[in-house]
Amino acid sequence: MTPAELSRTVARAVCRAVEEGALAVEVPEASSVRVERPRPGGTGDWATGIALRLAGPAGRPPREVAGVLGERIARAPGVERVEITGPGFLNVTLEGSAQQRLVEAVRAAGTGYGMPGGRPVDAPVAAAEPSGASVVRPDQGTRGRRPAVGAVVGDATSVRLTQRVYPLPTPDDRAALWAEVLHRMGAEPRVAEPRPAEPNPTEPNPAEPRVAEPRPAADRSPEPHAPAPHLHVTPAPPGLVAEVGVDAARWAMLSAAAHDRPRTHNVLVQHERNPLYKVRYAHARARALTRGAGLLGFEAAAEEVVDAPVLTQAIADHPVVVADAARLRAPDRLARHLEATAEALLAFQHTVLPAGDEKPSAAHRSRLALAEAAGTVLAGGLSLLGISAPEHL
């Protein structure tokens, strides 16, 4: 049951209470019935303050109104139970766990989860590494040796995944990069008004169509998916792509707000203090957990509720963040969300696999399913930014 469906369920419960004579109020429109995540101390999947809103018109205490509505909401299909908390909030628990349903939804959608139209972005397929960077393959013996700055570490699969499909239209043109990413996010195209053609007195026959001379580059109208004319994007330093490579350059230019300078500090540092490394490393850890579980003989399955509210909320928020980033024309919002998701996953990862002689259980299978869902979010988000998500790092 979606929030919109739950709003309609609450409105129908009010309608039934009025028809049965249990309440004497005006039935609100379903669109005006607000449901939200429970606040601290609340319970269930969703909460609504409709009883507090109707208590005045009904001339009755809020908790009494909540009791009238709660018993009718609880009869609706898909609702497991309804509890009254605080002064009269209705906390609704849906059938099955919201977290389990979320994980299953991500597993079903794959990297299309949260994407425009629900379709995954094509995997990067063409290489562009900084000058001096090297590709370190397994047969070169990386154990015990720190890779060179900018190196790509992994097997043949991960090397293939680090290749690119979205080259910058102009390597250091940050505005063009933003236009490309916003277009992929599904942002509404914004086209500048075309200039009216000016008469040319030198033409022998003005009635005949003439070929317009090309305008200077700074004077051209934006492409159909270019940033809006009022959105001014601070330029990137010249030579940034050649200096740090395409992935790092894209992150530097997309993770800062339009009016801020690209974040080039520590962009190649192989440490969690580098946000790009943190996000890609968290994705690689999610994939490593799956491989480790396979060696231990178990697979992911959302069988139990996992106590990881921060990571669960980050996964649930992903579609909203993508939509907001497109609507507000701010891809930096997605970059910040990926960083927060990576932090939550890295803090959670240590609980996933059995330790010592511990046998795999439903808890481990459920934790692995949640970690895999987080890895899917990271892979999908990076693909929207046109940045590779290697399985080994």
Side-chain angles (χ1 to χ4, degrees):
M1 184 181 293
T2 65
E5 292 170 340
L6 182 57
S7 295
R8 290 192 291 270
T9 298
V10 173
R12 284 194 293 268
V14 176
C15 184
R16 285 196 299 273
V18 171
E19 291 174 349
E20 295 167 4
L23 281 180
V25 294
E26 183 178 345
V27 179
E29 294 288 337
S31 58
S32 69
V33 177
R34 183 181 177 187
V35 296
E36 58 185 7
R37 294 292 184 185
R39 297 177 184 180
T43 60
D45 297 316
W46 299 96
T48 177
I50 187 66
L52 284 75
R53 171 181 163 185
L54 298 179
R60 298 166 68 175
R63 287 186 67 90
E64 188 176 318
V65 175
V68 171
L69 297 179
E71 63 181 78
R72 288 164 175 80
I73 296 172
R75 299 174 199 160
V79 175
E80 182 176 307
R81 66 178 181 275
V82 180
E83 300 173 77
I84 302 173
T85 60
F89 288 102
L90 287 163
N91 292 69
V92 181
T93 300
L94 303 178
E95 288 182 352
S97 162
Q99 183 192 77
Q100 290 168 286
R101 291 192 302 276
L102 172 66
V103 171
E104 290 300 333
V106 177
R107 286 164 65 88
T111 53
Y113 172 70
M115 301 299 162
R119 286 187 251 179
V121 177
D122 293 337
V125 294
E129 294 299 331
S131 56
S134 59
V135 175
V136 183
R137 301 183 185 275
D139 55 5
Q140 290 179 301
T142 59
R143 185 179 298 277
R145 178 165 59 85
R146 185 179 181 85
V149 174
V152 181
V153 182
D155 61 12
T157 301
S158 65
V159 171
R160 176 177 58 80
L161 289 175
T162 57
Q163 297 178 341
R164 302 226 29 91
V165 73
Y166 299 115
L168 290 174
T170 304
D172 295 310
D173 187 347
R174 192 178 175 208
L177 172 61
W178 273 50
E180 170 209 324
V181 172
L182 288 171
H183 177 65
R184 195 176 310 124
M185 285 182 171
E188 290 294 327
R190 297 184 180 180
V191 184
E193 290 294 328
R195 293 186 176 184
E198 298 178 1
N200 188 346
T202 62
E203 290 185 352
N205 187 356
E208 294 180 359
R210 64 183 178 90
V211 178
E213 295 183 2
R215 296 176 183 168
D219 212 23
R220 290 177 185 164
S221 298
E223 295 295 329
H225 55 269
H230 67 273
L231 180 59
H232 300 291
V233 183
T234 300
L240 178 61
V241 174
E243 180 181 349
V244 301
V246 177
D247 276 334
R250 292 180 76 96
W251 180 269
M253 290 188 268
L254 291 166
S255 61
H259 57 275
D260 290 336
R261 293 178 60 83
R263 297 175 177 175
T264 58
H265 183 62
N266 286 338
V267 75
L268 288 179
V269 174
Q270 304 293 293
H271 192 278
E272 289 181 31
R273 66 175 177 271
N274 172 8
L276 174 59
Y277 177 82
K278 182 194 305 180
V279 171
R280 299 174 83 195
Y281 175 65
H283 170 264
R285 286 300 306 148
R287 302 301 302 141
L289 291 172
T290 300
R291 294 192 296 271
L295 294 175
L296 294 174
F298 73 97
E299 297 180 348
E303 300 176 7
E304 296 182 357
V305 177
V306 178
D307 185 17
V310 176
L311 182 58
T312 303
Q313 192 62 54
I315 297 170
D317 288 344
H318 183 64
V320 177
V321 171
V322 172
D324 284 347
R327 178 175 56 85
L328 300 173
R329 309 184 77 77
D332 54 296
R333 285 174 170 257
L334 175 57
R336 290 194 296 272
H337 174 67
L338 295 179
E339 186 178 354
T341 304
E343 288 177 354
L345 176 56
L346 291 174
F348 170 76
Q349 59 157 334
H350 307 289
T351 68
V352 174
L353 299 181
D357 296 331
E358 189 179 10
K359 300 296 183 182
S361 64
H364 296 111
R365 292 190 291 271
S366 300
R367 292 171 196 157
L368 178 61
L370 186 64
E372 286 184 351
T376 299
V377 165
L378 295 175
L382 286 170
S383 69
L384 272 178
L385 301 178
I387 297 174
S388 60
E391 297 199 5
H392 299 259
L393 198 61

